[in-house]
Amino acid sequence: MENKFAYTDEVDKSFGLAGMAISLTVWDKHMMISNITLDAAEGESSISFGPEFFFSNNPRMSARIAWNELVKQYQMFIGMVVGNILCRKAVNKREKPGKQLSADIYALIEAEGRDLCALEDDEIDMIFAKTYDYLSDFFSDSRMAAAADRFASDLRLRRSMSAYDIDDELRSLRI
């Protein structure tokens, strides 16, 4: 099956990675990214995370607390997917996000909600809608779109950014 969200070129990829980093600022979690690069080899990820990004269950942690942490992680996952795609479509391509794009993104994330968090469809719908609507407004704001454009451009120039480079970039863009 063809991946309709596969990167088309380096510019598209830079906007996707910028969108992921920027979307994590919503939860003040962008420092969880340890590195982003445009030069990842085939089969390697273009974005790397520090150990604090990954959920680690503690035997002394109650099931409720563990589940809440998984749901938070799922929401960040949705945010990164939505941020990646919206930054590429709305900012780079200047396309207005529509119902079909929302449905296509939802199709990417819904199974994870059921498998990872044992969420019901209405819970997945609520988390997705809240995250999608917020990030859709966020990336359609002209100031944020300009910041995302500058971030993607800087990434293309640098080729790679560390956690500190990303933090400096986001701070300089006042995101």
Side-chain angles (χ1 to χ4, degrees):
M1 182 169 107
E2 180 186 338
N3 180 356
K4 65 175 65 182
F5 294 119
Y7 295 125
T8 57
D9 56 26
E10 187 173 277
V11 172
D12 188 49
K13 185 175 184 177
S14 71
F15 274 92
L17 293 170
M20 291 173 79
I22 291 169
S23 70
L24 283 177
T25 63
V26 171
W27 294 278
D28 197 26
K29 301 291 186 188
H30 63 278
M31 287 301 290
M32 290 183 165
I33 301 171
S34 61
N35 184 36
I36 55 177
T37 183
L38 291 174
D39 299 325
E42 185 70 32
E44 291 182 5
S45 180
S46 296
I47 188 165
S48 302
F49 298 94
E52 66 277 3
F53 177 80
F54 301 97
F55 176 71
S56 176
N57 194 7
N58 181 334
R60 292 182 284 185
M61 187 181 290
S62 74
R64 178 84 174 153
I65 292 171
W67 182 79
N68 284 335
E69 288 302 312
L70 284 173
V71 171
K72 286 179 190 174
Q73 193 169 35
Y74 176 62
Q75 186 175 20
M76 283 193 303
F77 163 74
I78 291 172
M80 287 188 297
V81 170
V82 171
N84 180 303
I85 296 168
L86 286 179
C87 192
R88 293 164 57 201
K89 302 293 184 185
V91 178
N92 183 37
K93 303 283 187 195
R94 311 250 193 279
E95 296 173 1
K96 185 172 171 68
K99 288 183 181 187
Q100 186 59 52
L101 180 64
S102 175
D104 291 343
I105 297 172
Y106 184 86
L108 286 176
I109 60 89
E110 70 177 319
E112 287 289 323
R114 276 191 286 283
D115 297 343
L116 180 66
C117 305
L119 294 173
E120 299 292 327
D121 288 345
D122 62 328
E123 294 169 313
I124 296 168
D125 294 348
M126 182 188 70
I127 293 169
F128 175 76
K130 180 179 173 185
T131 305
Y132 182 87
D133 291 346
Y134 182 82
L135 289 175
S136 182
D137 290 345
F138 186 84
F139 282 109
S140 65
D141 177 86
S142 62
R143 192 178 126 245
M144 288 304 119
D149 191 34
R150 287 190 305 274
F151 188 104
S153 177
D154 192 41
L155 177 58
R156 286 191 305 276
L157 288 172
R158 292 181 186 203
R159 310 297 305 160
S160 184
M161 290 180 169
S162 69
Y164 298 105
D165 296 332
I166 294 165
D167 188 50
D168 285 345
E169 183 73 19
L170 293 172
R171 237 186 287 125
S172 75
L173 298 174
R174 295 189 166 105
I175 293 178

